[in-house]
Amino acid sequence: MKDRAELVIIGGGVSGLGTAYQLAKRGFTDIVVIERDYFGSGATGRCGGGIRQQFSEEYNIILARESVRMFEKMSDELGQDIGFRQGGYLILAHTEKEAEDLRRNVRLQNSLDVPSMYMEPEEALEIVPELNIEGLSAAAYCPTDGVAQPFLVIKGYVDNLRKMGVELMDHTEVLDIKVENGEIRKVITDKGDIETRMVLNAAGAWSRNIAKMVGVELPNKPYRHEIMATEHMKPWLKPMVISFHNGVYFSQSHDGEIVGGIGDPNEPSSYNIKSSLEFLERFTSVVVRYIPIMRKVKVMRQWAGLYDVTPDARPILGPVDELPGFIQAHGYSGHGFMIHPMVTKLLAEYIIDGKTSIDIEPLNLRRYTSGETIQEKNVVG
Amino acid sequence: MTDLRIHRHPILKYVRGNPLKFYFEGEERTGYENETIGAALYATGLKEFSHSFKLDRPRGIFCAIGQCASCRMRVNGVPNVRTCITPLEEGMTVERQFGAGEKPTNTEVRKTFKKELEADIAIVGGGPAGLSAAIYAAKFGARVVLVDRFPKLGGQLIKQTHKFFGSRKHDAGVRGIDIAERLIKQVEENPNIMVLSEAEAFGYYEPATIAVAGKDTIYRINAKKIIMATGAAEKALLFENNDLPGVYGAGAAQTLMNTYGVKPGDEIIMVGAGNVGVIVTYQLLQAGVKVKMIVEAMPKIGAYFVHAAKVRRMGVPILTRHSILRAYGENQVEGATIVQLDDNWQPIPGTEKDVEVDGIAISVGLRPTYGLLDQAGVKIQFVPELGGHVALRNRNLETSVKNIYVAGDIAGIEEASTAIMEGRIAGLSAVIDMGLAGDDAKELRESVRAELTELRAGPFGARIRQGLEKVEVL
Ligand SMILES: Cc1cc2nc3c(=O)[nH]c(=O)nc-3n(C[C@H](O)[C@H](O)[C@H](O)COP(=O)(O)OP(=O)(O)OC[C@H]3O[C@@H](n4cnc5c(N)ncnc54)[C@H](O)[C@@H]3O)c2cc1C
């Protein structure tokens, strides 16, 4: 292990590895990435792999749109098939209010070059003929949304980073960070110390614990989110189907399983990632209500992961005022996989150039003290 | 049409129910009540049940007890149905799948509702261990729910037509099928025991809940104690085309012929001369199947001498220091290439020989089915002496997760008589730990333990004793 590096990245999910990759691509390779468990063991390897541009808030739409453009090229760029499939996202609305929200969002998305469309429930049948449209008020569809396989993305990053000479340490835990005279000096791990002046905090739901090591308080809270996968079938379900009405989402992965989950408004904040039978019951009954033939599809696996949730459901990116050199890359609030390509590219720009092609200032931690927050409403789960 | 049903057998009488018409890819076929779809199709000569979902390779029945995926078919418009454990019904439509299954077209709801059951003890697995656990726990008033994925109770005992070894006290001289009868009767007559058949436990949830997928119902069994007695699975062997239809476990051959009265083939080769390989060979001969030879990689035969001598007398050569190199045939087994091994277990070039057979039975041992234990977070260790991954436990068979016990092959590959003893100990420990029973149960447990120790004494039990030392550590 190196005992000195220009940058230490804490966390081996898409946020940490993605930033390392974007930096290395531009020649910045004096990096050590530290992951406590295996790469992708956090939220990344447990996520649904959904990639959506249909947000309610301009900034998120732009991040997602740019990310989709990067996902489209990712398999070629990494030399690794990432299982990217653009079957679109079909959003289902139940009430008039939800229909109105969809209409407004589609207008905003279209103004930002995202080709989403508003439709009547009957039109949604053209995209998913198996859908039961009873009780639906409207739908929205964006054909360039899609899914990718998180573990294949992780593998692509890991293989490329190793080739590029970036040091990757898995099964290594960061225990402490030493600060002297208002500057980072050292990252202390269970495998030894690394001298550095710069740390990227990309520890997902554990980022607040990392921040505590240097006396920074983060507003993030961890919430369990459960998810499951069915048996494999030949492709039949084209889009990711979601509804903000009940927080459900499900899609068919490129190797044929239906993968999906549902949020639980009563879930308390905790680090619990055990699976529950209640989730299976709730999720399957909602899915069957939308797609009756799902009644005959067998459940194969279930698991859970943590959403790393901020008060406005938007990520926290960039430096903190108290400690320059301590850079944040977390708080993705359940949609970090889909926006990570652009986010990590911007972080790399910030680290190398000191400025970014899209302003990341609105996502600085500072917004919670200055009171300048905008809520993202389109959060699933 | 081919008829592989056995009509005369020296020991078994097959009770076939009424004939049932069903449709295989549009073609009418006949099976019988009490048969599974898989058994009925096999009896009419079908070997190629499905194609694998990634590489589209032909697959046939391998395990015959619902533990593998190679017999999946589309039944009544539903993909990926394990035909080896699904009972045949009048008018069913059955089709093969090429690659992954198509989406279901059947939305007919049977009674897919959820049912909560309260129990003192939930037992997963209705083989000798699970049945014995149920009987001994119920003796002390425990309310027991016992689940099994197979349509019939009895586990692997229901196909053991041979007489058991050992001392008189442990049912020596009694056939496995008769021991099963006796245990099943005691369970079914006991008002404290509720049995769910064709019911597969698919998950453990805290604090002691077992979720079960029944035929029409999802059960949620809220128990105080759980006994896992899910038995073992047959090991596969690595050789070219080992997935060709017609390659199956020796246990699958046994299930087909002894449970359903269906011959696994006309001429087969057995791989492995341990007890299972040799006993199943004998049973195959009884069923009228020609066993061309047994090949065994070890320099000597593992089975009990008397059994081996018997099959040899009946004309089956046992070739030690031999193994199988490949299976061949178009879409199903037409033969096996065998080869002699040198002292380092390497094939000796030039000794390859083709043997024409229509079936290759594999009996290279069993491994514990530890899936549910692993999901529950039980501490597991790989212990070769016990056949694979097994739970760490205390002397009372309680695992590292409080309230979960193990008994039978899941706790280490042994045999029916030890599984019965372990079942009793687990059942008794559960009622004792729950406070339902006191000193009399403890005394009984001690005497069962003494019997179990006796069964494992002597040179045959040495390996098991070594294995147990590694896992009885809690
Ligand atoms: C069930 C579920 C479904 C989801 N579905 C989607 C979806 O469809 N689309 C989408 O875009 N997003 C989805 N998400 C959200 C997405 O998974 C996350 O936003 C994203 O993966 C976050 O990546 P990350 O790198 O920030 O965090 P993580 O992947 O959690 O990575 C953080 C890493 O830091 C490591 N770490 C923590 N502490 C230390 C330490 N002290 N030392 C060393 N290493 C440490 C952890 O082990 C972990 O691997 C879902 C999340 C869940 C839980």
Side-chain angles (χ1 to χ4, degrees), chain A residues 11 13-15 35-36 42-44 47-48 50 174 249 307 334-338:
Chain A
V14 278
S15 189
E35 165 56 48
R36 184 175 48 195
T44 300
C47 86
V174 171
Y249 66 93
Y307 273 21
H335 46 263
F337 180 70
M338 58 182 83

Side-chain angles (χ1 to χ4, degrees), chain B residues 97-395:
Chain B
Q97 301 179 167
F98 297 90
E102 305 272 352
K103 71 178 176 188
T105 44
N106 179 342
T107 56
E108 167 216 359
V109 193
R110 294 225 272 208
K111 295 164 279 167
T112 34
F113 55 76
K114 191 196 91 187
K115 200 163 171 179
E116 301 237 0
L117 297 175
E118 303 297 321
D120 292 320
I121 305 175
I123 300 177
V124 184
L131 292 171
S132 305
I135 294 165
Y136 272 63
K139 256 190 220 284
F140 292 89
R143 291 167 309 137
V144 176
V145 178
L146 183 144
V147 305
D148 196 294
R149 67 154 84 94
F150 216 57
K152 290 183 197 177
L153 283 182
Q156 305 319 303
L157 266 185
I158 59 172
K159 56 197 197 194
Q160 312 299 344
T161 50
H162 58 284
K163 294 179 177 161
F164 275 59
F165 265 41
S167 65
R168 187 93 17 241
K169 195 164 71 185
H170 299 118
D171 293 321
V174 181
R175 297 184 199 280
I177 40 174
D178 299 326
I179 302 173
E181 267 327 296
R182 218 162 59 202
L183 292 173
I184 294 168
K185 190 153 174 277
Q186 286 179 60
V187 162
E188 287 179 343
E189 284 173 358
N190 195 316
N192 283 339
I193 305 172
M194 176 180 181
V195 175
L196 304 175
S197 304
E198 282 181 67
E200 183 154 47
F202 64 82
Y204 159 87
Y205 299 91
E206 287 180 347
T209 292
I210 287 288
V212 176
K215 202 169 162 206
D216 306 319
T217 310
I218 301 289
Y219 296 94
R220 178 194 177 107
I221 306 174
N222 301 314
K224 300 191 179 81
K225 305 279 175 189
I226 293 165
I227 299 173
M228 303 281 198
T230 53
E234 298 195 84
K235 285 184 185 159
L237 186 66
L238 210 59
F239 58 87
E240 190 181 328
N241 291 334
N242 67 355
D243 60 341
L244 199 60
V247 178
Y248 35 71
Q254 225 182 3
T255 300
L256 282 171
M257 62 185 174
N258 294 348
T259 307
Y260 298 109
V262 174
K263 277 198 294 188
D266 288 320
E267 295 192 317
I268 75 161
I269 179 172
M270 175 68 69
V271 182
N275 270 324
V276 173
V278 170
I279 289 172
V280 173
T281 296
Y282 180 67
Q283 295 173 358
L284 283 159
L285 298 172
Q286 285 181 315
V289 178
K290 181 169 168 62
V291 181
K292 284 204 159 166
M293 62 182 66
I294 303 177
V295 291
E296 168 59 61
M298 304 262 267
K300 63 184 217 296
I301 298 166
Y304 291 130
F305 176 75
V306 274
H307 288 313
K310 196 145 97 184
V311 301
R312 271 186 163 152
R313 269 202 310 279
M314 293 171 81
V316 181
I318 304 181
L319 277 61
T320 54
R321 276 275 181 244
H322 274 75
S323 188
I324 179 169
L325 208 57
R326 75 176 71 88
Y328 59 85
E330 199 173 313
N331 294 344
Q332 64 186 58
V333 170
E334 288 163 20
T337 306
I338 60 162
V339 69
Q340 200 179 331
L341 303 178
D342 66 18
D343 290 344
N344 300 315
W345 311 89
Q346 296 308 307
I348 302 175
T351 63
E352 300 85 359
K353 210 172 97 190
D354 287 351
V355 186
E356 264 180 47
V357 287
D358 62 10
I360 299 168
I362 309 292
S363 82
V364 293
L366 302 167
R367 56 185 175 81
T369 54
Y370 63 100
L372 269 175
L373 293 175
D374 199 20
Q375 184 254 325
V378 167
K379 284 206 185 95
I380 307 269
Q381 196 175 308
F382 183 78
V383 182
E385 292 90 338
L386 298 178
H389 291 89
V390 290
L392 301 185
R393 66 259 193 173
N394 64 21
R395 286 182 76 225

